[in-house]
Amino acid sequence: MELPAVSLKAIILVHWLLTVWGCMNDLFPASYAWGNFSILAVGIWAVVQRDSLDAIMMFLTGLLLTVLTDIIHISVFYPSNDYLTDVKRFSIGMAIFSLLLKPASCYFVYQMYRERGGEYTFNIGLIRAGQDRSTYEPIDQQDASPQWPDPSKAAPHPY
């Protein structure tokens, strides 16, 4: 069964709305808002530069990292039942809903990464996992080209 394609703009809009609703009161620290909104800004970069693998990869990585940070924020700052008001319940519910949607969003963003020409393996630094190193040529073993032409060889004709 193939899942329908989801627009990157729709993913960003839904997570933006859920993050705004999750930040409606002072329950979570500013790091929750900064983390989520900064990753959404990277998502906007991925929308603007449709052919950029870096933008979509950074957005995917950021979404994966915010899954971890959202779990930490929700578990550490979840109040006891004595302090739960309706607004706090709504805010926590939207933060949890955003957290539950992020794995699906990561899947769709990964599909977009593949559509843009990304590899199955991720590029981490200069060497890619699974890269064929048979064409690797070290710099220090290159033949040095002579500084002056060899006088024993005749110069080629210009025509």
Side-chain angles (χ1 to χ4, degrees):
M1 181 177 144
E2 189 173 324
L3 293 174
V6 176
S7 168
L8 187 57
K9 293 175 188 176
I11 291 172
I12 293 169
L13 180 66
V14 166
H15 283 290
W16 176 82
L17 187 61
L18 293 173
T19 302
V20 166
W21 285 343
C23 296
M24 281 179 54
N25 64 59
D26 58 355
L27 182 65
F28 295 122
S31 59
Y32 175 80
W34 276 103
N36 281 289
F37 286 127
S38 61
I39 294 308
L40 293 175
V42 173
I44 292 171
W45 173 37
V47 168
V48 171
Q49 289 191 342
R50 295 183 186 274
D51 58 342
S52 173
L53 281 176
D54 288 339
I56 197 77
M57 189 63 212
M58 286 181 65
F59 182 53
L60 176 60
T61 305
L63 277 177
L64 290 170
L65 288 174
T66 58
V67 168
L68 177 66
T69 59
D70 287 358
I71 290 170
I72 293 170
H73 280 109
I74 292 169
S75 61
V76 169
F77 294 101
Y78 195 88
S80 64
N81 284 337
D82 301 344
Y83 298 106
L84 277 177
T85 62
D86 291 339
V87 174
K88 287 184 180 180
R89 278 191 185 97
F90 179 78
S91 180
I92 292 170
M94 294 302 106
I96 291 172
F97 187 50
S98 176
L99 174 62
L100 292 174
L101 280 179
K102 281 186 182 177
S105 297
C106 288
Y107 173 77
F108 289 122
V109 171
Y110 179 72
Q111 293 303 320
M112 291 172 206
Y113 169 75
R114 295 284 304 131
E115 289 171 4
R116 291 184 183 191
E119 301 173 359
Y120 282 111
T121 57
F122 296 118
N123 183 0
I124 303 171
L126 298 175
I127 299 176
R128 296 180 186 169
Q131 181 180 14
D132 181 24
R133 294 187 179 101
S134 62
T135 60
Y136 176 74
E137 184 178 325
I139 296 173
D140 60 345
Q141 294 179 359
Q142 291 180 349
D143 294 333
S145 61
Q147 188 174 6
W148 305 103
D150 189 5
S152 63
K153 294 183 182 178
H157 294 290
Y159 42 88

